[in-house]
Amino acid sequence: MTQTDGYLLDNRQTEAGQRFDAFATLFDPTTFRHMERFGIGSGWRCWEVGAGGTSVVSWLAKKVGPTGRVVATDIDTSWAASAARPPVEIRVHDVGAEEPPGEGFDLVHARLVLVHVPDRERALRSMVKALRPGGRLLIEDADPALQPLLCPDEHGPEQQLANRLRHGFRKLLAERGADLSYGRKLPRLLREAGLREVEADAYFPVTSTACADLESATVRQIRDQIVTAGIATNEDIDRHLANVASGSMDLATAPMISAWGRK
């Protein structure tokens, strides 16, 4: 993640760890499938941008082995204690404002990061610069504007409340500079950055326990901002959290678009 006073979802809050766990459950299989296709293996040098959690970093470390290297960066590395052992190197780093932490990487990866970065163009240039010739860039980001609803099947007051809160959440993100239609732009941006063999796909969870866990943690984390902005009352939020906990609603996430290319 990049440093910004307006960032809505602080990694140091208790709920952040719960959100990272939900993201890992939802999206790790997609991320790992793409990396396996690239042929990742022993000795690879990898840069994990805006790591936030340990699941991808730990998986990469096992793949590259003792002869490889995994540089994991974030503006807040409080999550990193359990991952900070060879071949993993943890660095405090702002991808949107600083030079890359080295060059010659075989793989550079960022998931659910650039949508929040104010200078996304600079961040993308930095990641491309860090690749060796023939190296792979994999960027995965949400596109909430493609599917803005928490409950696509809005058939009752519980779903209507959920979607009202989701709309408010998206409004707060946009006010802080998030690009809510960024995911769909990735293939074009990778081509414009000079990458070859650009492809992309999308993963769209419609309902799962992890979706519910993610929603509950997110709402608890931004509760004060929702109330302060007049989006909902504390009573509304309590009712919504109870509805989520009941398991009676189908809760979706925004589509995550994965785009990749070769330098």
Side-chain angles (χ1 to χ4, degrees), residues 1-211:
M1 227 41 84
T2 189
Q3 181 65 54
T4 167
D5 293 336
Y7 184 51
L8 189 62
L9 298 161
D10 188 340
N11 285 359
R12 290 164 292 184
Q13 291 178 265
T14 302
E15 294 85 1
Q18 298 163 348
R19 295 181 73 251
F20 292 146
D21 289 345
F23 284 140
T25 300
L26 288 167
F27 299 126
D28 277 1
T30 296
T31 297
F32 299 160
R33 172 171 57 86
H34 290 309
M35 292 179 176
E36 291 277 17
R37 286 184 58 197
F38 301 156
I40 185 170
S42 179
W44 274 43
R45 296 154 295 173
C46 305
W47 176 20
E48 178 66 14
V49 181
T54 62
S55 65
V56 175
V57 173
S58 298
W59 186 90
L60 287 171
K62 291 178 182 176
K63 286 293 181 180
V64 305
T67 61
R69 182 186 183 209
V70 178
V71 180
T73 62
D74 206 325
I75 59 166
D76 177 4
T77 59
S78 57
W79 55 269
S82 64
R85 67 175 73 89
V88 176
E89 176 186 349
I90 307 294
R91 291 195 190 183
V92 176
H93 180 263
D94 184 340
V95 69
E98 301 179 62
E99 288 297 302
E103 297 186 9
F105 288 102
D106 300 289
L107 171 66
V108 176
H109 173 244
R111 186 174 76 191
L112 304 175
V113 173
L114 294 192
V115 68
H116 300 288
V117 175
D119 196 344
R120 284 175 280 273
E121 183 178 350
R122 176 173 178 173
L124 181 58
R125 288 199 307 268
S126 178
M127 289 188 281
V128 172
K129 179 181 178 181
L131 288 168
R132 67 166 175 81
R136 299 276 197 167
L137 176 63
L138 172 63
I139 300 181
E140 303 179 295
D141 242 313
D143 196 313
L146 271 180
Q147 196 295 108
L149 301 177
L150 178 62
C151 296
D153 179 21
E154 188 183 274
H155 67 88
E158 296 87 355
Q159 290 77 18
Q160 292 168 0
L161 173 60
N163 286 337
R164 175 160 65 88
L165 290 174
R166 175 55 58 90
H167 176 75
F169 174 48
R170 292 176 61 239
K171 183 173 182 289
L172 291 174
L173 285 174
E175 288 173 351
R176 286 159 174 77
D179 183 348
L180 301 180
S181 59
Y182 188 66
R184 74 191 71 179
K185 303 173 185 177
L186 288 173
R188 171 175 57 83
L189 294 175
L190 265 58
R191 287 194 300 271
E192 290 176 350
L195 297 186
R196 302 176 287 114
E197 302 172 21
V198 172
E199 297 183 48
D201 62 17
Y203 175 60
F204 172 30
V206 174
T207 187
S208 76
T209 300
C211 287

